[in-house]
Structure formats: C-alpha cells, structure tokens
Amino acid sequence: VGQSAHTPARRGVLAWDRRGEPVGTVAIYLVVTFLAGLAAILVRLPPLVGFLAAGFIINAAGVEHLDAIDTLADLGVTLLLFGVGLKLELRTLLRKEVWLTTTVHMALTVVMGAVLILLIALLGLSLPADTDWATLAVLGFALSFSSTVLVVKVLDDRGESQSVYGRIAIGVLIMQDLAAVAFLAIATGQTPSPWAFALVGLLPLAWVLRRIWDRIGHDELHVLFGVVVAIVPGYALFEAVGLKGDLGALVVGMLLASHPAAGELSQDLFALKEVLLIGFFVSIGLTGLPTTETLAVSALLLLALPFKAA
C-alpha cells in the first residue's frame, strides 16, 4: 500500500534472508533447535546440550549451512563475555586464588594430559605410538583449558557468576585465555601488532564511556550502548591489533564494571545474549560429524575429568 508502480516491492523478511537463503532452511534450523532443546529439558539436561545435538542433527541431515549462524555465534560470545566483564573488576585477576590456581592447575594438567595422550597413542588411536614429547606437551596444554563460554553459561544459568567460587572460576578462565594468546603468538610466529600497546588508551576511553553512560536512560538506547561498546572498542579494536576479539569485549566490560548501572546493563543484554548464544552451540555441531575413532578418544579423555577437577 502506498508504493508507486515504479517502486520495487520489498521482499518479506520471511521469504528470503539477505544472503538469498530460503525460508525453508531457516525454518528447519529453528524447529530442530527448539525441539532438541525441549527434548534436553524433558530428560533433565541443560538446553545447551540439545542445541549442540541440533547442530549434529542438521549436519547429518545434509541441510544447507547458513552463514548467518557463525555471525550469530560470534555476537553471542562477544556479548556473553562483555556481560561477564561488567560483573568482574580487574583487580580480581591479581588475587592469588586466581593467578596461582591457574599456574599450578595448568602445569599439573599439561603433564597429566600428555601422559594420557601417550597412553591413547599406545592403544593405536589417533596418534602414532612414536609421537614426540613436544607434540604430547602441546596436546596436554590444550587439555589444560576449559571452555570459557560453556562455564560462564552454566554459572549464569545457575545465578552463581557472582559467587566467590564463580568469580574465581571466571578469573581462572581469563588467565587461561591470556595464556592461549601468548602460546599462539609464540607457536605461530604471528605476534600481535605493535599497535596493541596503544590499548592502554582504553583506560581514558573507559572514563569517557562512563560519562556518556551517565546521560543514557533506561530504554532501548541503553541496550544499544552496550552492544556498540562490546563490539567496537571491544571486539573490533582487539581484532585489529591481532588479539582475540572476545577477550577485548571482556576487558572493556571489566573497565566499565565500576559504573553504578553495570549490573542493570548486564541484565538488559541477558535475553539478547541468550538467543545469540544458541547459534554458537548449534555451529559446533555443524563443523562435522564425529567418527567412531574420535568418539573413542573422547570417551578415554573423559577419564581425565576427575583428576582435573581434583
């Protein structure tokens, strides 16, 4: 109504998305993901288990991969870690419960993981039995990490991210991420840009952002402010200087954590973050189907969990 004969009709958003992908494919993703999440709840498992399963189901069914899923996943992780930063002050990382726990835990887990991988290799699974110790150490190092997204999601769902052990756990996860950045820089030779030192400018920028924040109300502009800050000075700026973008969102959130409205903004972003994170869990299943060998290795690696927890 109201369009002239010379004005092309706008495509309905439910007919085709911006990449020209049919609504049928989008509908399949939505229905399978919802039903898988519902099934997980019915058997008393977290919905995210169902979302992971949905990715494998969609992959196995040969449904076309939607590129938008990866974008949603990145946005979800960015907002998740930004929200975590809003609840966690920078001085938390300086506590011995964080840095000492991280150091000792990673050292012990690297040794344990290397030995476990060696035993798996001796069984003839995945690795040759004559694998050198350098490779075993790298794999052990990988096993020393925990999934930041998964742990933070579980803590958020339980309402325990602000508990004493929740803050310590998140602090350990951040230290692990920093160790991963350092390792990748050394191992690949791709060191961050010299411009990374300019990130100290985030300190005065945080002061400016807090002053802007003071003038923002409690409506949709408040939510938009959080999204813009998480993505631009957070994700995009860190990626531009060769650092992990999601780590940048976390750091910017921590720099703004002292603002009186930090808790309110984190809560305002909660629903948006939860929906976008579904894309992250679905995208994992879309990367490929597990083989019999990888399932066997995974089952053996589960033996490490009690020791890692202890």
Side-chain angles (χ1 to χ4, degrees), residues 107-172:
L108 293 177
T109 312
V110 167
V111 175
M112 179 193 69
V115 172
L116 181 59
I117 291 292
L118 177 61
L119 294 176
I120 293 176
L122 293 176
L123 292 175
L125 292 172
S126 290
L127 293 172
D130 59 349
T131 300
D132 59 57
W133 282 102
T135 302
L136 292 173
V138 170
L139 293 174
F141 184 70
L143 290 176
S144 70
F145 290 93
S146 301
S147 170
T148 303
V149 176
L150 185 61
V151 174
V152 171
K153 179 73 168 62
V154 171
L155 288 173
D156 267 356
D157 289 345
R158 293 180 173 182
E160 297 172 345
S161 58
Q162 285 297 91
S163 64
V164 174
Y165 71 87
R167 291 197 300 270
I168 293 174
I170 293 172
V172 170

Side-chain angles (χ1 to χ4, degrees), residues 30-45:
L30 291 173
V31 172
V32 172
T33 302
F34 174 76
L35 292 178
L38 180 61
I41 292 177
L42 293 177
V43 296
R44 299 183 182 278
L45 290 173

Side-chain angles (χ1 to χ4, degrees), residues 119-232:
L119 294 176
I120 293 176
L122 293 176
L123 292 175
L125 292 172
S126 290
L127 293 172
D130 59 349
T131 300
D132 59 57
W133 282 102
T135 302
L136 292 173
V138 170
L139 293 174
F141 184 70
L143 290 176
S144 70
F145 290 93
S146 301
S147 170
T148 303
V149 176
L150 185 61
V151 174
V152 171
K153 179 73 168 62
V154 171
L155 288 173
D156 267 356
D157 289 345
R158 293 180 173 182
E160 297 172 345
S161 58
Q162 285 297 91
S163 64
V164 174
Y165 71 87
R167 291 197 300 270
I168 293 174
I170 293 172
V172 170
L173 290 166
I174 295 171
M175 296 297 287
Q176 288 181 349
D177 285 342
L178 294 175
V181 170
F183 172 78
L184 291 174
I186 296 172
T188 63
Q190 297 178 352
T191 57
S193 165
W195 285 102
F197 292 104
L199 290 177
V200 295
L202 286 174
L203 294 173
L205 177 61
W207 182 88
V208 174
L209 291 174
R210 283 194 290 267
R211 301 290 77 77
I212 296 174
W213 198 349
D214 291 336
R215 298 179 176 274
I216 295 176
H218 304 277
D219 51 16
E220 60 273 12
L221 187 60
H222 194 227
V223 177
L224 182 59
F225 170 78
V227 173
V228 170
V229 170
I231 294 176
V232 181

